[in-house]
Amino acid sequence: MDLGVRGKNYIVIGGSKGMGLEAAQVLANDGANIAIISRNRATSQTQADRISTRYGVKAIGLGADASNPGELEDAIAETIDTMGEIRGLLATPGSTDHNGTLLEMSEEDWLINFNNVLMSQVRSCKAILPHMLKNGGGNIVTTSAYSARAAKNFLFGYATLKAGLINLTKNVAKTYGADGIRANCICPGAVETSVLAELRKKTAKDLNMPEEEALEHILFTEWKMPVSAQRVAKPAELGDMMAFLLSERAAYTTGAIVNVDGGTDF
């Protein structure tokens, strides 16, 4: 499938690994130029160099912590100065370990989640929207989570703010749709990022069970996630959908909340 992205420029926030990196590679494989932004500029540039070499496109890497006001805005401005018109932006923020029940979470825990989970993507949208509006439109994809619709007592902060992100995305789609802006939100379930890959190995060792069963054991017994597909997702399975929503093939899709969770809590 030709995604219609050849020669266009895309920003991937959180693109140095996991789902973001997979999406960046799908876009680059179809000829898109890529700017990767992550907390570590050197890591971003390493991945950008690999993408450029492998796919023959322009790719740059920048560093910014999206949870800190100003850093992401500066990185996006630098990207625009370097690459020119940006057609799409994907935000894939990380999670935090500052969660728990309502009574367990402190004010600081809530603030950390607020900045990492919600405000990181608010800043992404605010930073790119004026540029896209000036250039006749563009495509934004945010990343929520299946937890936004499936309350978990150990994820009060994370799940609450992921739900807020869904409303933010729909609001962007409705408010700026007539100006050529599309905004869609991906809701992943459990995805085997590098952190979960290590957890798979550790669990297999601790419980003396095959690695191919270990993470799924946690999925059902500890996280209480009734996944119809009976397995954890691979990052590439999310990256494909993210790239599609950023592409011109999804031209009539906006305001969508797309569950990519293997059939979890329908």
Side-chain angles (χ1 to χ4, degrees), residues 64-109:
D65 184 344
S67 68
N68 291 330
E71 289 193 27
L72 184 59
E73 293 87 339
D74 289 346
I76 289 175
E78 182 178 345
T79 301
I80 293 169
D81 288 343
T82 302
M83 301 186 76
E85 181 181 342
I86 304 301
R87 182 58 185 169
L89 178 144
L90 166 64
T92 63
S95 60
T96 82
D97 57 2
H98 290 263
N99 273 282
T101 67
L102 181 61
L103 297 182
E104 290 170 345
M105 288 185 64
S106 67
E107 287 283 332
E108 182 182 8
D109 291 330

Side-chain angles (χ1 to χ4, degrees), residues 142 164-174 183-185 255-257:
T142 61
L165 180 61
I166 287 175
N167 189 278
L168 168 76
T169 308
K170 279 188 170 290
N171 230 331
V172 170
K174 293 188 71 173
N184 294 289
C185 185
I257 309 305

Side-chain angles (χ1 to χ4, degrees), residues 117-118 144-145 147-149 157-168:
V117 176
L118 181 61
S144 181
S147 306
R149 66 182 191 283
Y158 177 84
T160 299
L161 293 163
K162 285 294 191 181
L165 180 61
I166 287 175
N167 189 278
L168 168 76

Side-chain angles (χ1 to χ4, degrees), residues 113-133:
N113 275 278
F114 177 67
N115 274 302
N116 279 274
V117 176
L118 181 61
M119 286 307 296
S120 61
Q121 300 194 62
V122 170
R123 293 175 185 124
S124 301
C125 294
K126 286 189 69 176
I128 200 63
L129 266 173
H131 170 79
M132 287 182 170
L133 292 170

Side-chain angles (χ1 to χ4, degrees), residues 12 45 68 128 154 167 181 188 192 207 224 235:
V12 181
Q45 190 59 56
N68 291 330
I128 200 63
F154 54 89
N167 189 278
I181 302 296
E192 193 163 350
L207 300 181
K224 310 299 182 185

Side-chain angles (χ1 to χ4, degrees), residues 3-12 27 31-35 76 79-80 83-90 128-129 131-141 177 179-183 242-253:
L3 294 176
V5 300
R6 185 169 301 280
K8 296 181 173 67
N9 302 319
Y10 295 82
I11 295 174
V12 181
L27 293 168
N33 302 313
I34 304 295
I76 289 175
T79 301
I80 293 169
M83 301 186 76
E85 181 181 342
I86 304 301
R87 182 58 185 169
L89 178 144
L90 166 64
I128 200 63
L129 266 173
H131 170 79
M132 287 182 170
L133 292 170
K134 178 181 176 182
N135 287 284
N139 308 322
I140 295 172
V141 174
D179 298 304
I181 302 296
R182 289 195 302 107
M242 290 168 164
F244 173 74
L245 290 174
L246 283 170
S247 81
E248 304 310 307
R249 295 303 294 265
Y252 200 61
T253 303

